[in-house]
């Protein structure tokens, strides 16, 4: 877990720096050519080669000086030590590139190089700010992984020490539950006993439970862990394996071997690729959002008063509350009128659906039919509240009525699209069928499945199927 999180965090810093190197070259060359009236003495291929070589040198120097490791361990904050390290990398890279150009007898304007270095430093500073904004800061981040310790043991103490040392990776131990021990872990809040586990899970956001005792330690453990399994919570056994019907993965927490259980794949490479897809998809989506906003925004305002963007609290991964963004398709009193329409709900179960909803405006009907109302959710994807593909995020009221088995659908990051959306969501009138489709996605998740769902979503949207 720790190595994977460090690897992903480092990869994001590297990708953002490579982007800064590229953009800085384009900006610097444009400014130089417009201010000096001269063109760079580089062909198109040579410019591309310069950028690629500079990228490789920059990454090499950053790794050699451990810039990324130091920045990550400082939760993304820039202190004097990290700033000096970063500046050293920039100038080291410039010196190496200058030596290579001298060897190849390529001459570049010193003015251009000055522009490039200054713009690159500013760009790196900006991307550090952006990464800190979206990644969060340590265990206090909204998206920090919340871990609950179950049982007391020496292994549990070692596990807690390792987690605390790596809290900058957005990992937080929220408390400890005793099984039948009369002792607690120093500095860890005691939340109660194993008998209160169900209520504790309902009152707190819990992503993972670290079990510090073997299953044979108490007869109640299997039943309680089965309950956690039904909720979709990841289980980490610190002592021995168990035979739960879910996927398992061996992971190292520092030098401590553990075995994780979860319904969805915990393959590090695939999880990283999924997040990269989300980031790039979210960036493209925000460009589309800006263009559509200019067109749709005035139409929404002209028909009814109120904001263009509708924000509603939804429940994300393992109970996290966030505000989903959508283009407003109803009047401003829609939530108040919903109570009066509940008798006309066409959905069997814990969801509301009404084909001819009187709250929907004329422009709202159009943007719903074309799924344009969903476009602002790319902002939620960039923030990390949502993914491109996942389960649909329910409302807070819906979740309060869930049975334990229903909570599995919120055990992963919700998505803009998913199995339900590409299976004709307007034709599905039973909430249990929605849950079945969500569970099918969770159990069979892979990058290939996400790609298939994205392509099927385009087909569904263009054919205007399943949206009313």
């Amino acid at each position: 877990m720790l190595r994977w999180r460090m690897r992903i965090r480092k990869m994001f810093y590297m990708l953002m720096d490579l982007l800064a190197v590229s953009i800085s070259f384009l900006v610097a060359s444009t400014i130089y050519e417009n201010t000096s009236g001269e063109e760079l003495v580089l062909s198109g291929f040579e410019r591309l080669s310069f950028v690629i070589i500079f990228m490789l040198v920059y990454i090499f120097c950053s790794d050699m000086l451990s810039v990324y490791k130091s920045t990550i361990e400082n939760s993304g904050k820039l202190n004097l030590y990290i700033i000096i390290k970063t500046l050293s990398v920039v100038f080291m890279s410039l010196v190496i590139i200058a030596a290579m150009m001298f060897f190849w007898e390529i001459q570049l304007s010193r003015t251009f190089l000055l522009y490039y270095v200054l713009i690159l430093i500013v760009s790196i500073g900006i991307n550090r700010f952006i990464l800190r904004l979206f990644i969060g800061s340590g265990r206090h981040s909204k998206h920090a992984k919340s871990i609950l310790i179950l049982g007391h043991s020496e292994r549990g103490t070692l596990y807690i020490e390792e987690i605390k040392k790596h809290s900058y990776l957005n990992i937080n131990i929220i408390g400890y539950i005793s099984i039948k021990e009369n002792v607690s872990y120093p500095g860890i809040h005691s939340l109660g006993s194993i008998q209160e586990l169900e209520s504790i899970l309902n009152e707190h956001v819990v992503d993972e439970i670290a079990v510090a005792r073997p299953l044979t330690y108490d007869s109640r453990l299997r039943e309680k862990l089965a309950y956690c399994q039904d909720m979709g919570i990841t289980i980490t056994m610190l002592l021995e394996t168990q035979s739960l019907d879910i996927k398992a993965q061996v992971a190292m927490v520092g030098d401590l071997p553990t075995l994780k259980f979860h319904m969805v794949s915990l393959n590090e490479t695939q999880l990283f690729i999924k997040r990269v897809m989300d980031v790039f998809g979210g960036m493209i989506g925000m460009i589309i959002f800006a263009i559509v906003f200019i067109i749709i925004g005035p139409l929404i305002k002209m028909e009814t008063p109120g904001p263009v963007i509708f924000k509603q609290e939804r429940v994300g991964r393992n109970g996290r509350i966030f505000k989903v963004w959508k283009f407003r398709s109803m009047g401003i009193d829609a939530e108040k009128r919903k109570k009066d329409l509940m008798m006309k709900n066409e959905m069997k179960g814990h969801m509301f659906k009404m084909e001819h909803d009187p709250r929907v405006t004329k422009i709202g009907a159009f943007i719903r039919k074309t799924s344009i109302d969903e476009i602002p959710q790319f902002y939620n994807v960039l923030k990390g509240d949502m993914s491109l593909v996942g389960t649909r995020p329910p409302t807070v009221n819906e979740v309060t009525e869930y049975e334990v088995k229903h909570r599995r659908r919120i055990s992963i990051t919700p998505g803009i699209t998913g199995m339900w959306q590409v299976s004709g969501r307007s034709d599905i009138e039973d909430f249990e069928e929605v849950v079945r489709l969500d569970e099918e996605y969770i159990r069979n998740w892979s990058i290939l499945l996400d790609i298939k769902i994205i392509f099927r979503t385009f087909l569904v949207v263009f054919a205007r199927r399943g949206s009313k």
Side-chain angles (χ1 to χ4, degrees):
M1 174 178 69
L2 300 180
R3 294 173 185 173
W4 171 72
R5 282 179 168 261
M6 175 66 83
R7 194 179 304 139
I8 284 187
R9 191 70 59 84
K10 180 179 177 181
M11 190 63 67
F12 272 117
Y13 277 96
M14 289 174 61
L15 289 173
M16 289 294 286
D17 280 356
L18 294 180
L19 186 63
V21 169
S22 305
I23 293 176
S24 298
F25 182 87
L26 292 175
V27 174
S29 59
T30 301
I31 293 175
Y32 173 76
E33 291 176 346
N34 288 334
T35 55
S36 67
E38 300 177 3
E39 289 189 359
L40 288 177
V41 290
L42 294 175
S43 64
F45 176 77
E46 289 172 334
R47 294 185 184 207
L48 178 61
S49 300
F50 177 92
V51 172
I52 293 175
I53 294 173
F54 198 101
M55 284 180 175
L56 296 174
V57 172
Y58 182 88
I59 294 299
F60 171 79
C61 293
S62 297
D63 198 57
M64 186 172 65
L65 293 183
S66 301
V67 172
Y68 297 127
K69 185 174 184 294
S70 299
T71 305
I72 293 169
E73 289 177 349
N74 201 42
S75 298
K77 300 175 185 176
L78 291 178
N79 55 29
L80 182 60
Y81 175 70
I82 294 175
I83 291 174
I84 292 175
K85 268 191 170 186
T86 304
L87 292 176
S88 299
V89 168
V90 173
F91 290 111
M92 279 177 63
S93 302
L94 185 63
V95 169
I96 293 173
I97 290 294
M100 295 172 70
M101 289 191 300
F102 176 81
F103 178 79
W104 289 329
E105 298 182 348
I106 298 175
Q107 295 185 346
L108 270 180
S109 167
R110 294 179 181 177
T111 303
F112 163 75
L113 291 176
L114 178 62
Y115 287 161
Y116 184 54
V117 169
L118 293 176
I119 294 171
L120 179 58
I121 292 173
V122 172
S123 298
I124 293 171
I126 292 173
N127 76 33
R128 291 294 186 272
F129 172 78
I130 293 173
L131 282 169
R132 177 164 167 73
L133 187 65
F134 282 100
I135 290 177
S137 55
R139 65 187 182 91
H140 300 295
S141 168
K142 175 184 176 183
H143 300 292
K145 176 186 279 293
S146 298
I147 300 177
L148 184 64
I149 306 296
L150 179 58
H152 189 283
S153 70
E154 184 178 346
R155 277 291 178 93
T157 301
L158 294 174
Y159 179 85
I160 291 171
E161 290 174 356
E162 286 294 336
I163 294 299
K164 285 185 174 180
K165 285 193 296 186
H166 297 85
S167 61
Y168 54 83
L169 293 174
N170 293 7
I171 308 174
N172 181 33
I173 295 178
I174 63 170
Y176 154 73
I177 294 179
S178 64
I179 300 176
K180 53 185 179 184
E181 308 92 344
N182 295 320
V183 293
S184 184
Y185 297 101
I188 302 298
H189 183 54
S190 178
L191 299 180
S193 68
I194 191 171
Q195 282 299 116
E196 304 166 277
L197 180 61
E198 289 88 345
S199 60
I200 291 171
L201 294 179
N202 289 326
E203 293 170 3
H204 297 81
V205 171
V206 178
D207 299 308
E208 182 171 322
I209 292 181
V211 186
R213 288 286 187 175
L215 293 178
T216 54
Y217 180 69
D218 191 288
S219 59
R220 297 169 293 177
L221 269 174
R222 286 188 180 274
E223 177 186 349
K224 297 300 183 181
L225 292 179
Y227 179 89
C228 297
Q229 174 190 345
D230 286 339
M231 292 185 66
I233 296 174
T234 299
I235 299 170
T236 298
M237 297 297 297
L238 303 184
L239 293 174
E240 66 177 19
T241 61
Q242 59 174 325
S243 56
L244 294 178
D245 185 24
I246 41 182
K247 297 177 182 179
Q249 181 197 43
V250 176
M252 296 295 294
V253 178
D255 295 324
L256 191 66
T258 64
L259 190 61
K260 294 180 180 293
F261 298 89
H262 199 279
M263 289 180 64
V264 72
S265 170
L266 297 173
N267 183 281
E268 297 178 359
T269 303
Q270 289 207 355
L271 290 173
F272 171 70
I273 294 174
K274 183 176 177 67
R275 184 54 188 157
V276 170
M277 286 172 56
D278 286 343
V279 171
F280 281 97
M283 293 170 66
I284 295 172
M286 288 302 291
I287 296 173
I288 298 172
F289 167 54
I291 297 171
V292 174
F293 185 92
I294 295 172
I295 302 170
I296 296 296
L299 297 177
I300 295 175
K301 295 288 286 186
M302 286 171 61
E303 185 173 2
T304 56
V308 174
I309 301 298
F310 171 69
K311 301 176 184 178
Q312 184 185 45
E313 284 193 343
R314 295 291 182 96
V315 180
R317 182 168 61 91
N318 290 326
R320 288 173 172 81
I321 306 298
F322 71 98
K323 288 190 176 181
V324 68
W325 282 29
K326 299 181 76 172
F327 279 121
R328 184 169 58 84
S329 60
M330 298 182 178
I332 56 175
D333 61 344
E335 287 300 307
K336 295 180 181 178
R337 295 175 63 189
K338 182 178 179 180
K339 295 180 180 179
D340 300 328
L341 298 171
M342 288 303 294
M343 293 296 293
K344 298 181 180 180
N345 185 12
E346 300 168 4
M347 195 76 176
K348 180 183 177 182
H350 309 300
M351 292 180 73
F352 179 82
K353 187 185 72 171
M354 186 175 176
E355 183 173 351
H356 300 292
D357 194 328
R359 301 173 299 164
V360 179
T361 62
K362 293 179 181 178
I363 184 64
F366 169 75
I367 63 177
R368 282 188 165 203
K369 187 69 175 178
T370 55
S371 297
I372 290 174
D373 62 323
E374 311 279 356
I375 291 177
Q377 290 172 31
F378 284 109
Y379 171 73
N380 295 113
V381 172
L382 270 183
K383 284 185 64 181
D385 293 325
M386 294 179 65
S387 178
L388 293 178
V389 184
T391 58
R392 283 301 291 162
T395 64
V396 177
N397 289 336
E398 289 171 355
V399 173
T400 58
E401 298 177 359
Y402 276 7
E403 298 174 27
V404 172
K405 62 180 181 180
H406 297 150
R407 293 184 65 91
R408 290 188 184 186
R409 67 189 305 264
I410 61 171
S411 65
I412 65 170
T413 303
I416 295 179
T417 186
M419 291 289 285
W420 176 43
Q421 285 81 353
V422 299
S423 301
R425 65 180 184 269
S426 289
D427 299 325
I428 300 174
E429 298 182 351
D430 190 344
F431 177 68
E432 295 299 332
E433 176 64 11
V434 175
V435 174
R436 187 192 67 78
L437 289 170
D438 286 341
E439 287 190 3
E440 180 182 338
Y441 171 76
I442 293 172
R443 289 187 181 277
N444 300 310
W445 175 78
S446 68
I447 292 299
L448 181 59
L449 179 59
D450 274 8
I451 294 173
K452 287 180 179 178
I453 290 175
I454 290 172
F455 276 109
R456 287 178 63 186
T457 300
F458 282 118
L459 295 176
V460 168
V461 171
F462 287 131
R464 297 189 179 183
R465 297 197 309 267
S467 56
K468 297 180 182 180

